Amino acid sequence: IRAVKETETDHLAMRQTIAELRQQVIEAFTQLHDYASAIEQHIEIINRNPDDEEKVNAAIEYAKRYGGADAMIEYYKKASQEAFKDYRWNLVLARLHDSNGDWANAKAQMRQAFNNQPETIELHSELAEMAKRAKDFNTAIEELKLCVERTNDDPVYVRLLAEAFDKA
């Protein structure tokens, strides 16, 4: 990783190369049954780009399969407290709690993310999806109504709202 940092000039290419290297390290740790070290590598990948939903989901799936979700939750709790204005750590925490079926904590973390980034429609949409999985259709409808209102009746959100009413 140090060698890549010294040779790569394009920051985006460097980030991608390092993520690929870390993925290979995860595979090696998995073969060695060192799942805690693999989780640490997943955390490093997420830290470089917490907006990459695919990488966050890969880490969550790994933690479900091999354990380590508690370590990730503790890490991101600390990160969200230290960088309390960065909504992305709350979003990662919400996704972790949601994957564990912990709707109350997922919802609390999403609310904290709203406090830090209130104008982001995608956060409300994600909370609505989590609420639907938790069968809390009132929250899902409330959040989707907000999305419809803030996007001037975007057909995507209108359709999601109609589906939420239908499921409710």
Side-chain angles (χ1 to χ4, degrees):
I1 291 173
R2 191 174 310 127
V4 170
K5 286 181 179 180
E6 292 172 1
T7 59
E8 289 282 345
T9 55
D10 180 23
H11 187 68
L12 220 49
M14 177 183 64
R15 183 181 280 180
Q16 184 63 30
T17 303
I18 291 172
E20 290 168 6
L21 286 171
R22 288 190 187 281
Q23 190 59 46
Q24 292 172 6
V25 170
I26 289 168
E27 290 171 17
F29 280 137
T30 302
Q31 290 175 353
L32 295 170
H33 302 285
D34 188 355
Y35 306 122
S37 295
I39 287 292
E40 289 174 10
Q41 293 302 309
H42 273 295
I43 288 171
E44 289 299 323
I45 291 171
I46 293 170
N47 289 350
R48 301 302 171 255
N49 191 3
D51 294 324
D52 189 337
E53 193 172 334
E54 185 178 312
K55 288 189 174 51
V56 173
N57 289 339
I60 290 170
E61 288 304 313
Y62 187 91
K64 279 182 175 180
R65 184 170 183 186
Y66 297 107
D70 292 338
M72 290 178 71
I73 288 171
E74 286 306 312
Y75 178 88
Y76 287 109
K77 272 185 187 176
K78 185 177 177 185
S80 69
Q81 291 168 353
E82 289 175 358
F84 63 92
K85 284 295 185 183
D86 192 344
Y87 76 97
R88 298 175 304 174
W89 307 130
N90 298 107
L91 182 57
V92 170
L93 266 172
R95 288 176 178 161
L96 284 164
H97 287 302
D98 182 46
S99 74
N100 285 339
D102 185 353
W103 167 233
N105 279 322
K107 185 176 178 180
Q109 289 301 320
M110 288 302 291
R111 295 284 183 208
Q112 186 61 40
F114 295 154
N115 291 340
N116 295 330
Q117 203 74 21
E119 72 280 356
T120 305
I121 297 300
E122 291 80 15
L123 293 176
H124 292 279
S125 177
E126 183 146 354
L127 176 59
E129 289 303 313
M130 288 179 186
K132 283 195 270 183
R133 283 192 293 276
K135 301 200 183 327
D136 182 355
F137 296 109
N138 290 334
T139 299
I141 289 168
E142 176 186 313
E143 294 302 322
L144 288 168
K145 280 181 179 178
L146 192 83
C147 291
V148 167
E149 178 185 312
R150 291 186 179 176
T151 61
N152 294 320
D153 298 333
D154 183 327
V156 170
Y157 294 116
V158 171
R159 190 174 334 102
L160 289 172
L161 179 59
E163 290 170 5
F165 271 119
D166 187 44
K167 286 187 178 184

